[in-house]
Amino acid sequence: MEHLVEHMRTSYHSVHEPMCGICKKHCRSYESLREHLIGPLPKQECKSIFSIRGCRFCLTILDSPNARRVHQERCQLSGGLLASFANLGLRDSLTIDNGYARGRQVVALACKMVGGGSDGSLDLCARVCLVDENENVIFHTYVKPPIPVTNYRYETTGIRPEYLRDATPLRQVQKKIQDFLCNGEPMWKIRPRGGKARILVGHNLDHDLDRLQLEYPAGMMRDTAKYPPLMKTSKLSNSLKYLTQAYLGYDIQTGMQDPCEDCVAAMRLYTRMRSQNHTMEDYPLASDPQNRNNFASWRQSELERMSPEEMLAISKSDYYCWCLDS
């Protein structure tokens, strides 16, 4: 029991973790759960049931093989986005509604980089896209970098010199996006829960915002590269290409890469994670003041008398689960 208490103190098991639908094992990430079910050394009992009744995208266990087939067809999303984005052109539908729209608004952002510097290795934002929660492109423009471009990386970006000749200056793009995200709320006043500012979704957002020279509160960002359930078991980030193929069931970034396609993939991953059906709690985080003494050392004797189920009931998550946005 002493070892179990110490394990629970450091593991932060909670209702928000991915869990095996067969043996109820708690996993730190979906990659860990995937390895448990179908990895090189899976639990054989779970593997055999999963092969018959498990969805290979969301890793849910269904009631029957037929239910699995119906669910998996719905769970696997379709790509086919590049055709609709191919002749998109410039677009600007950004509006500031001062929070009058119902509910917290969510937008996804993605950029495409060209190269600067003597060897072309310095990332410069040359194209940016924003989509809303309904996958509508609300902003799309080419960006004129502040320093000369030495490598257009045409094979992956599809960007030519003439596209950037009369493009919107970086400073102007940055201000427009910043104003749209803040939505009439001063930066210092933005708070994670409530308020007017918009939730920003993306993959490796820190890099994109750095190249846009744009600041935004971390509590308002939902980054698929840093969300613990979507990370590798080694706690490193997965690529957006891999996440889309593994969890949504289609391929992206197969040739020339389109930021609008990346936006849609990140938004779909976010909405899938947000829709997880977890038990709602008043204070779900280990960092909440009400939970700070749950596994305090002075409670050791009391904790050792608890059953594993009782300990799990007071154990809280050490990350913000996106289901709390819903």
Side-chain angles (χ1 to χ4, degrees):
M1 289 304 295
E2 183 181 343
H3 287 300
L4 179 59
V5 170
E6 186 57 34
H7 168 74
M8 294 298 289
R9 184 177 284 138
T10 58
S11 64
Y12 298 100
H13 288 313
S14 75
V15 296
H16 298 285
E17 283 182 315
M19 185 174 70
C20 176
I22 302 160
C23 69
K24 308 305 178 186
K25 176 184 177 180
H26 284 254
C27 297
R28 192 63 183 164
S29 67
Y30 283 100
E31 286 302 291
S32 177
L33 177 57
R34 195 179 294 275
E35 288 185 10
H36 168 76
L37 293 168
I38 53 176
L41 295 170
K43 185 174 180 180
Q44 288 302 322
E45 179 191 356
C46 297
K47 179 184 178 182
S48 60
I49 295 175
F50 182 82
S51 66
I52 300 169
R53 296 194 281 120
C55 173
R56 65 188 177 94
F57 302 113
C58 66
L59 307 181
T60 302
I61 306 299
L62 284 305
D63 295 332
S64 67
N66 186 54
R68 173 215 190 190
R69 181 182 58 78
V70 173
H71 169 89
Q72 199 159 270
E73 287 175 0
R74 194 170 63 247
C75 206
Q76 181 175 12
L77 301 182
S78 154
L81 301 168
L82 274 179
S84 61
F85 295 146
N87 301 309
L88 181 63
L90 305 186
R91 185 166 300 187
D92 184 355
S93 306
L94 302 188
T95 56
I96 297 171
D97 60 27
N98 293 296
Y100 292 122
R102 292 181 63 187
R104 204 69 184 256
Q105 296 175 65
V106 183
V107 294
L109 175 143
C111 301
K112 276 295 167 260
M113 309 292 171
V114 292
S118 57
D119 59 354
S121 62
L122 178 65
D123 283 345
L124 303 172
C125 178
R127 189 180 172 194
V128 62
C129 179
L130 282 166
V131 304
D132 64 15
E133 204 168 344
N134 297 317
E135 302 178 9
N136 300 312
V137 177
I138 54 176
F139 184 74
H140 172 246
T141 188
Y142 289 99
V143 183
K144 190 168 189 176
I147 64 173
V149 177
T150 53
N151 183 359
Y152 285 88
R153 305 174 183 173
Y154 177 77
E155 294 78 11
T156 55
T157 66
I159 296 174
R160 300 178 184 274
E162 55 266 28
Y163 296 175
L164 305 185
R165 200 165 293 139
D166 299 314
T168 311
L170 176 65
R171 187 68 62 191
Q172 193 175 324
V173 173
Q174 178 235 5
K175 184 179 188 313
K176 187 178 283 286
I177 293 175
Q178 182 114 51
D179 291 346
F180 174 72
L181 293 176
C182 293
N183 200 24
E185 196 163 27
M187 184 74 77
W188 59 270
K189 201 176 176 182
I190 294 175
R191 57 194 185 278
R193 299 178 190 179
K196 308 171 189 174
R198 294 175 165 96
I199 291 172
L200 180 62
V201 174
H203 189 81
N204 201 6
L205 278 172
D206 286 343
H207 181 253
D208 285 351
L209 296 185
D210 178 63
R211 296 298 87 194
L212 284 168
Q213 299 176 15
L214 193 154
E215 292 184 1
Y216 203 55
M220 295 299 294
M221 295 195 289
R222 307 289 182 262
D223 195 335
T224 55
K226 292 185 175 181
Y227 188 50
L230 292 177
M231 296 177 78
K232 298 178 182 179
T233 51
S234 61
K235 297 185 178 179
L236 297 174
S237 299
N238 279 303
S239 68
L240 182 61
K241 182 183 177 75
Y242 169 78
L243 292 174
T244 304
Q245 199 280 327
Y247 297 97
L248 302 179
Y250 68 94
D251 294 316
I252 62 169
Q253 301 176 354
T254 51
M256 286 187 182
Q257 299 174 13
D258 193 303
C260 303
E261 185 182 47
D262 292 354
C263 278
V264 170
M267 182 64 81
R268 287 177 171 181
L269 286 165
Y270 167 74
T271 53
R272 180 155 290 184
M273 293 296 110
R274 187 183 61 182
S275 66
Q276 298 291 310
N277 188 21
H278 296 153
T279 304
M280 289 294 104
E281 302 169 309
D282 291 333
Y283 306 104
L285 300 177
S287 57
D288 288 333
Q290 294 81 357
N291 298 323
R292 284 182 184 161
N293 291 324
N294 285 8
F295 287 92
S297 55
W298 53 266
R299 294 187 64 186
Q300 184 72 23
S301 297
E302 177 192 352
L303 291 166
E304 288 181 15
R305 290 194 297 272
M306 288 184 178
S307 68
E309 291 76 19
E310 289 172 325
M311 272 190 272
L312 182 60
I314 65 170
S315 182
K316 305 299 177 182
S317 174
D318 61 342
Y319 66 87
Y320 180 87
C321 181
W322 291 350
C323 78
L324 300 173
D325 286 343
S326 57

